[in-house]
Amino acid sequence: MSSAASRCSAFSSWLSEALVAEGPASPEPLRQDIRADVCIVGGGFTGLWSAIEIKRAKPEAEVVMVEARLCGSGASGRNGGFVLSLWAKFQSLAKMCGEAEALRLCRESSQAIVDLQAFCQQHDIDAQLRLDGWLWAATTTAQLGTWDSTVSRLELLGQQPYQRLAAGQAAQLSGSSLHLDGVFEPVSASIQPAMLARGLLRHARKLGVKVYESSPMERLESGTPARVQCTHGSVRADRVILAMNAWAAQFADIRKAFVVVSSDVVITRPLPELLQSSGWTNGMTISDSRMLVHYYRTTPDGRIVFGKGGGNEQLVYGAKLAGKLDGASGIAATVAAHLRRAYPGVQTADIAGNWTGPIDRTRNGLPHFGALPQQPNVFYAIGYSGNGVGPSMLGGKILAALALQLDNEWSRCGLVHGLQRDFPPEPFRYLGGRLVRHAVGQVDLAADENRQPSWLMQQLCKLAPSGLSPTKAAAPHSR
């Protein structure tokens, strides 16, 4: 294993695999003061797509990217590898920007998945992409019909991104009798996310983007140009893009618009015989409809990746994110137990690895883009809320349009959203978040045990951020 792989193996199996495939390499840190047209802070999907889109639109632009660790070491290398559209969040989108714009963005998000497949083929990126669809499922009677209002509204508008399933079909498709019903979205995919991130990095560099890893931003000085100060160098840039996901919590103006929650994942050793006997033999991804969602998929070599969104009660206080949600999962045993509940043939000894990571969760579960108050040349992207792999492609188009001051459908799109206080300040955010998180867990547990949760727990759940389901009482998920 390369030295880079050794340092990142604690983050996720995905990144370790991607770095081994790359071969030995040493990250190049920023060690001088330089000038750029655009400086991008953060080397994940959003930052990389933004760099690529800027270079597509304006090849002569000087684009510099600084990344604290390695590109793909943040959320882009720790997620479940689901490439989903925005159709499941249509109703939240419609409330935010109207039905016409919501439909456009949902269609664009589906097209992005198809475009991603073509992009990987064109640029020789082996991201293990399998366009085998997504099952939005119910695993308890309380979850049945969670999708109905969204699917029915879309059907009334002449849109059918989802296929309704016959009785027993969800169990057949998933290879588990735990799945009572569901709807299927054909235009969805699974990928090896860190391999995609590292492939995007290689392509960005070919386009002329200067990338400096192991270069954490220590401060941002406002002005025109702005100045991004790193440990051993700086970038003076006319425009700055903050593509930092949950790590953007260090900015008070941004922090008020989201909360940080965890995503915890376990991965098995290859189990091809078990998957073959179950009938779950393709790359179809699965999410249930609980508030702290369970999400799972297979890999081409027969492993099962199973994650739980918002499952760790160790919430982050204020901006104190450093080290809180890095490395191994603190609830790996709990996540593995949920995996075995769905697939009883999986044994404890079959669990080969686990990891955790932070998710930036907005009130409505949608990503927001825009410029910082009083700093019109500094742009942000926050709040993918667990669905960022596919929508980050749209995010790159939006941020490129904003940074290049273009007047088009992306700079004016419904996801360009001014920052506002959607969550209370500390300590109320932290204390209230723990209380609501506990209530959400209790309601999910009651559903698993087929009993009615207490009235108080139900009421507290109504304070949770919007989640995968269109109901108010929905909470963080991450894929």
Side-chain angles (χ1 to χ4, degrees):
M1 181 181 292
S2 71
S3 60
S6 297
R7 284 189 287 118
C8 289
S9 61
F11 293 155
S12 75
S13 298
W14 297 137
L15 186 56
S16 296
E17 291 173 3
L19 293 172
V20 168
E22 261 182 35
S26 298
E28 179 187 355
L30 179 65
R31 296 190 183 277
Q32 58 186 319
D33 299 325
I34 61 175
R35 187 71 165 84
D37 296 312
V38 183
C39 179
I40 299 172
V41 183
F45 292 141
T46 296
L48 290 163
W49 282 122
S50 297
I52 290 167
E53 291 293 342
I54 290 170
K55 281 293 195 178
R56 279 176 173 172
K58 192 176 181 180
E60 70 275 17
E62 185 72 10
V63 181
V64 172
M65 173 179 291
V66 294
E67 160 58 39
R69 302 183 219 186
L70 294 179
C71 290
S73 62
S76 298
R78 304 190 209 181
N79 60 79
F82 286 40
V83 191
L84 304 184
S85 72
L86 291 171
W87 285 112
K89 298 184 178 182
F90 171 76
Q91 294 191 101
S92 294
L93 261 177
K95 289 178 182 178
M96 182 174 171
C97 57
E99 284 192 339
E101 176 67 350
L103 287 171
R104 184 186 78 85
L105 288 169
C106 287
R107 293 190 194 103
E108 291 281 2
S109 68
S110 282
Q111 183 60 45
I113 298 170
V114 178
D115 292 344
L116 177 60
Q117 185 179 49
F119 181 93
C120 289
Q121 292 170 349
Q122 179 182 356
H123 299 291
D124 195 27
I125 298 174
D126 181 14
Q128 301 177 6
L129 189 149
R130 293 182 292 171
L131 195 62
D132 289 334
W134 172 55
L135 177 64
W136 183 358
T139 57
T140 68
T141 56
Q143 297 173 24
L144 289 170
T146 306
W147 48 83
D148 278 343
S149 62
T150 298
V151 175
S152 296
R153 183 59 190 162
L154 288 171
E155 289 173 344
L156 285 173
L157 294 171
Q159 306 296 315
Q160 293 185 314
Y162 297 103
Q163 298 173 359
R164 296 183 183 270
L165 302 180
Q169 194 173 1
Q172 181 182 4
L173 288 171
S174 65
S176 170
S177 60
L178 187 67
H179 301 90
L180 306 178
D181 198 4
V183 289
F184 179 71
E185 183 179 7
V187 185
S188 298
S190 62
I191 59 162
Q192 210 283 25
M195 285 189 172
L196 175 59
R198 301 302 292 182
L200 292 177
L201 169 63
R202 292 191 295 274
H203 183 64
R205 281 177 163 154
K206 286 180 182 178
L207 295 177
V209 178
K210 295 178 181 177
V211 182
Y212 298 95
E213 298 177 296
S214 295
S215 301
M217 179 181 67
E218 295 188 341
R219 66 180 182 273
L220 173 63
E221 298 176 4
S222 61
T224 306
R227 184 168 179 263
V228 175
Q229 180 65 55
C230 299
T231 306
H232 300 294
S234 67
V235 185
R236 292 173 64 244
D238 297 319
R239 274 88 64 192
V240 174
I241 292 173
L242 301 175
M244 303 168 68
N245 295 309
W247 287 270
Q250 65 187 267
F251 294 93
D253 284 329
I254 298 178
R255 185 167 65 245
K256 65 186 181 182
F258 69 86
V259 293
V260 177
V261 298
S262 72
S263 176
D264 293 86
V265 180
V266 300
I267 186 169
T268 71
R269 65 178 181 85
L271 302 170
E273 296 85 1
L274 185 150
L275 293 175
Q276 187 68 39
S277 64
S278 75
W280 185 25
T281 56
N282 63 7
M284 181 186 72
T285 58
I286 306 171
S287 304
D288 68 10
S289 302
R290 69 181 56 233
M291 289 182 285
L292 299 177
V293 74
H294 293 165
Y295 54 96
Y296 31 112
R297 42 77 59 94
T298 64
T299 64
D301 63 352
R303 292 173 290 169
I304 300 175
V305 178
F306 191 103
K308 183 176 181 63
N312 194 330
E313 294 196 34
Q314 181 189 0
L315 300 180
V316 174
Y317 187 95
K320 299 177 180 179
L321 184 58
K324 287 285 186 181
L325 294 172
D326 280 340
S329 169
I331 60 167
T334 299
V335 179
H338 285 296
L339 163 58
R340 292 194 298 274
R341 180 169 174 260
Y343 297 95
V346 177
Q347 305 299 310
T348 301
D350 293 329
I351 306 300
N354 67 84
W355 63 87
T356 190
I359 298 297
D360 48 330
R361 186 80 197 180
T362 55
R363 171 63 64 183
N364 64 4
L366 293 168
H368 300 164
F369 306 86
L372 287 183
Q374 314 306 318
Q375 297 185 65
N377 61 336
V378 178
F379 306 97
Y380 60 83
I382 59 166
Y384 288 110
S385 301
N387 180 20
V389 181
S392 65
M393 297 180 70
L394 306 188
K397 295 177 186 293
I398 294 168
L399 291 167
L402 293 173
L404 295 176
Q405 298 178 303
L406 305 178
D407 182 16
N408 61 18
E409 71 275 18
W410 296 112
S411 62
R412 292 181 270 103
C413 91
L415 294 174
V416 176
H417 183 77
L419 293 169
Q420 58 191 38
R421 180 166 291 286
D422 288 328
F423 297 93
E426 301 293 10
F428 305 106
R429 173 202 298 249
Y430 178 77
L431 297 173
R434 292 200 62 170
L435 186 64
V436 171
R437 163 61 186 81
H438 175 73
V440 168
Q442 290 300 303
V443 169
D444 278 341
L445 178 62
D448 288 341
E449 297 175 352
N450 198 28
R451 58 178 173 81
Q452 186 72 14
S454 73
W455 176 87
L456 178 59
M457 295 298 103
Q458 293 182 69
Q459 298 309 305
L460 287 172
C461 280
K462 294 179 181 180
L463 300 175
S466 177
L468 176 63
S469 75
T471 60
K472 175 62 179 174
H477 66 291
S478 169
R479 297 179 299 277

